[in-house]
Amino acid sequence: MIQPFTPEPIRFVAEDGTPVQPLPERYTPEVLRDLHRLMLQAREFDRKLITLLRQGRTTFYAQSSGMEATQVGLARSIRVGHDWVWPYYRDHTLGLAMGVPMAELISQCLGTNSDSCRGRQMPHHFAAQRQNFVSISSSIASQVPPAAGNAMAQKYLGVDEITVCTFGDGATSEGDWHAGMNMAGAAQAPALFVCENNQWAISTSIREQTASETIHIKAKAYGMPGYYVDGNDIIAVMEVCGYAAEQVRSGQGPALVECLTYRVGSHSNADADAEKHYRTREEVDAWLARDPITRLENLLAHLGHPVTAEERAALIAQTHREVDEQVLAAEATGQPDWRIMFEDVYADLPDHLRQQEAFLRAEQTGGRA
């Protein structure tokens, strides 16, 4: 049984790929290879989107490289399209692993006519209706109180859905986080809170923002169990998050899972150079040596089913081709027309907006109707 409040992160696979406890039977070589595919695809998606950013074809991107085991593992621990997910802005790998089409993510990042948000949301802040993946917000921890409310509604309605709310370690220093956690705990709402602890809130380290030894221990204050897991061990993430999700679903109230991982890239393109000044190269290199994809590849090799260099190269090439094709397809749809700023909110446009629309139409058309 998975135990809460462990002093060390729960782990199933060591950094060199050897199991440290028996692996559940469901982790067949086929399942492990599929997890590897998703993680490597997400890593290469990151690299391609950073290239688009440098080319000026999008204006914001927050990579998740190094955190793939946490996000893919969480996606495989919930009932996709049944449970509701309130994500944070680094969760595109979670979205991809939940089945959000790559085309949708790319269209949203580019803000083209193929974007379901119609270019009106900040790049890399997508939503996915079929997956119950709520629109991402940049405001830190702002998703936590409404996620708690979502879970309270699920309890009121008596459904077997749960609400999954993710956030980084920096969010746990925000008032909204504490308010949402307290509300969910007091209501015994079916919410699974997942801290993707990558140890840096932009340039503020985890040690500078809290006196707590860990994040998961904070769950005690809200009357819920807290679980501590090695976020670079995908099997451990799936086992812990899966166990916690079903405990929540069974009516035992909310839970908090802390996945200890690391952001190996910059916070976003906004600090691509500054990050060199707030953390050392030695620290980054130490975490690169704990890479979650390499760990899974080492496990497959240990089990006698290695991923060959040719297989790896083919998967990378396939991902690059798919991204390139989807970028061209999205750009071919063109940029949204200015008129969309007046659509999708009011059934009957108020007079002041009608006046603004008329003014803009005259400005855009030179007075022509």
Side-chain angles (χ1 to χ4, degrees):
M1 179 183 292
I2 303 296
Q3 296 294 329
F5 303 115
T6 55
E8 297 295 328
I10 296 170
R11 176 183 288 182
F12 277 75
V13 180
E15 292 169 5
D16 64 1
T18 57
V20 295
Q21 57 178 307
L23 303 183
E25 292 182 359
R26 67 187 180 115
Y27 296 104
T28 63
E30 292 74 23
V31 167
L32 294 175
R33 279 180 169 273
D34 186 52
L35 295 173
H36 175 264
R37 175 186 61 80
L38 290 169
M39 292 167 66
L40 188 57
Q41 180 187 58
R43 176 73 57 86
E44 296 306 314
F45 182 86
D46 254 9
R47 289 178 176 160
K48 293 293 286 186
L49 267 290
I50 290 295
T51 299
L52 289 180
L53 184 70
R54 290 170 178 164
Q55 292 171 343
R57 295 158 90 176
T58 186
T59 56
F60 179 84
Y61 189 73
Q63 58 188 301
S64 63
S65 291
M67 302 169 62
E68 294 90 354
T70 288
Q71 295 190 21
V72 173
L74 175 59
R76 289 302 179 91
S77 304
I78 63 176
R79 301 181 189 178
V80 175
H82 181 75
D83 298 331
W84 285 76
V85 176
W86 290 74
Y88 92 122
Y89 53 75
R90 206 176 297 281
D91 274 340
H92 56 273
T93 292
L94 174 61
L96 286 169
M98 289 175 62
V100 178
M102 192 181 289
E104 291 187 16
L105 271 66
I106 290 172
S107 293
Q108 200 284 317
C109 284
L110 299 181
T112 61
N113 277 319
S114 54
D115 171 22
S116 61
C117 297
R118 305 178 75 187
R120 291 177 294 196
Q121 172 64 298
M122 182 174 175
H124 198 236
H125 288 57
F126 61 95
Q129 186 175 15
R130 288 187 300 276
Q131 286 80 14
N132 292 342
F133 193 100
V134 179
S135 183
I136 292 172
S137 172
S138 268
S139 300
I140 307 300
S142 62
Q143 73 275 28
V144 183
N150 196 94
M152 290 167 67
Q154 290 167 330
K155 181 178 180 180
Y156 175 80
L157 293 171
V159 296
D160 71 342
E161 305 167 358
I162 68 170
T163 295
V164 179
C165 180
T166 66
F167 41 84
D169 47 289
T172 66
S173 295
E174 293 287 339
D176 276 351
W177 186 81
H178 295 277
M181 295 286 289
N182 186 64
M183 185 162 56
Q188 287 294 284
L192 175 61
F193 297 101
V194 181
C195 178
E196 302 177 31
N197 181 3
N198 64 31
Q199 304 177 63
W200 286 95
I202 308 183
S203 58
T204 304
S205 73
I206 185 70
R207 288 291 150 246
E208 294 175 294
Q209 62 174 296
T210 182
S212 296
E213 292 183 5
T214 61
I215 299 298
H216 78 283
I217 200 170
K218 296 176 186 283
K220 290 186 177 182
Y222 308 110
M224 64 180 76
Y227 300 95
Y228 193 25
V229 60
D230 183 339
N232 283 8
D233 177 354
I234 192 166
I235 293 179
V237 172
M238 290 176 64
E239 289 301 300
V240 172
C241 288
Y243 175 82
E246 293 313 308
Q247 292 293 104
V248 169
R249 197 183 310 279
S250 68
Q252 298 189 38
L256 170 64
V257 176
E258 176 187 357
C259 299
L260 183 63
T261 182
Y262 195 77
R263 161 173 65 81
V264 296
S266 60
H267 167 74
S268 71
N269 52 295
D271 76 331
D273 293 321
E275 65 101 5
K276 300 173 185 176
H277 302 293
Y278 62 73
R279 60 183 187 179
T280 66
R281 185 70 247 176
E282 290 75 18
E283 176 183 312
V284 176
D285 287 343
W287 278 94
L288 284 171
R290 305 174 189 175
D291 182 81
I293 298 176
T294 302
R295 186 186 300 195
L296 183 52
E297 289 174 346
N298 289 341
L299 172 62
L300 280 162
H302 174 80
L303 297 175
H305 298 273
V307 176
T308 67
E310 292 76 17
E311 288 174 322
R312 201 178 201 279
L315 181 54
I316 290 173
Q318 177 186 341
T319 303
H320 288 193
R321 282 194 304 272
E322 185 175 356
V323 172
D324 291 341
E325 290 169 1
Q326 297 299 341
V327 167
L328 293 175
E331 290 179 332
T333 67
Q335 294 296 311
D337 187 84
W338 62 270
R339 293 174 182 82
I340 69 161
M341 72 175 76
F342 299 100
E343 300 174 358
D344 299 334
V345 177
Y346 296 100
D348 297 306
L349 208 61
D351 288 341
H352 72 285
L353 290 181
R354 291 182 186 279
Q355 294 171 10
Q356 292 178 28
E357 183 182 25
F359 175 82
L360 281 172
R361 182 182 296 110
E363 185 179 71
Q364 294 290 323
T365 63
R368 300 186 302 277

